[in-house]
Amino acid sequence: MASFPHIVEDCMGVLQVLSDGTVFRSKNIQFNMPLIHCENSVDFKDAIFDKNHNLLLRIYKPKSASLFHKLPVIVFIHGGGFCLGSRTWPTCHNSCLRLASALEAVVVSPDYRLAPEHRLPAAMDDAVSAIKWLQSQALSENSSSGDAWLSSGEADFDQVFVLGDSSGGNIAHHLAVRLGAGSREVAPVRVRGYVLLAPFFGGVVRTKSESGPSEALLNLDILDRYCPTSLITPF
């Protein structure tokens, strides 16, 4: 007699895998921080970058952008153990707001396909797709075919930096291995550097960084440590 499906993997109730392969993702997640809407200093909106997989990214742009120089571009890749996370989660969204405001940069935060439904290297492939979408915007600069926020001439595609948090740091590492700095594959986009925030590479023994600070606040904790609040425009 066949048994009913039962839970074989459970990640804090947020993600559950059943014995028949069914994956359950909770849509009612209680975050211990509010979702910040920074209307006073940064605008943000969503855009599709991969129609085949229905993947979106979120673009952040300072309202008080300088008229005398272009804005560098930061690609922020969220964490979540390759299984969780979204550009819309407070841990990602709030960090991107602060980066855009403090650094006066355009921030682009893409989603990517999650495991276990989509096994690696799907996430890495999606990150490459996001960079190539950015390339398409650079090639559409000063035309009506690209996104108005990126093709208006305000974004500096020669000054692009990739920042990844936790598993996003792992993805950023793989982008660095593939693209390096100044790869012609994505020209005229030029990636000048990669920043890995407590990157997750797996292993049996926990590293010091994996033991703390709390995962829920990890990227914000690091931003507070290395980005003085005096440089951040109040929300």
Side-chain angles (χ1 to χ4, degrees), residues 89-206:
W89 283 21
T91 47
C92 177
H93 175 77
N94 295 356
S95 295
C96 290
L97 283 174
R98 297 178 70 172
L99 286 168
S101 177
L103 302 179
E104 291 192 356
V106 174
V107 178
V108 176
S109 180
D111 277 341
Y112 50 86
R113 286 171 291 169
L114 301 175
E117 301 96 319
H118 306 283
R119 297 174 64 88
L120 296 175
M124 287 72 173
D125 293 339
D126 295 339
V128 172
S129 294
I131 298 295
K132 290 191 173 182
W133 178 87
L134 198 63
Q135 177 189 35
S136 71
Q137 302 305 309
L139 294 172
S140 301
E141 195 169 11
N142 298 318
S143 74
S144 58
S145 60
D147 185 279
W149 284 16
L150 291 170
S151 60
S152 62
E154 295 180 63
D156 190 350
F157 296 105
D158 191 57
Q159 295 287 334
V160 176
F161 301 86
V162 176
L163 190 155
D165 162 44
S166 190
S167 57
N170 183 301
I171 296 172
H173 162 77
H174 281 276
L175 281 177
V177 171
R178 173 165 176 174
L179 302 178
S183 171
R184 293 184 178 182
E185 183 180 350
V186 292
V189 168
R190 183 168 185 180
V191 181
R192 295 285 185 168
Y194 299 81
V195 181
L196 313 186
L197 296 179
F200 170 76
F201 289 101
V204 177
V205 180
R206 279 186 173 272

Side-chain angles (χ1 to χ4, degrees), residues 57-78:
L57 51 73
R58 183 161 288 181
I59 309 170
Y60 302 80
K61 188 176 77 167
K63 289 185 177 180
S64 57
S66 173
L67 298 176
F68 304 102
H69 61 81
K70 291 186 175 184
L71 302 177
V73 179
I74 297 174
V75 178
F76 184 95
I77 306 173
H78 70 76

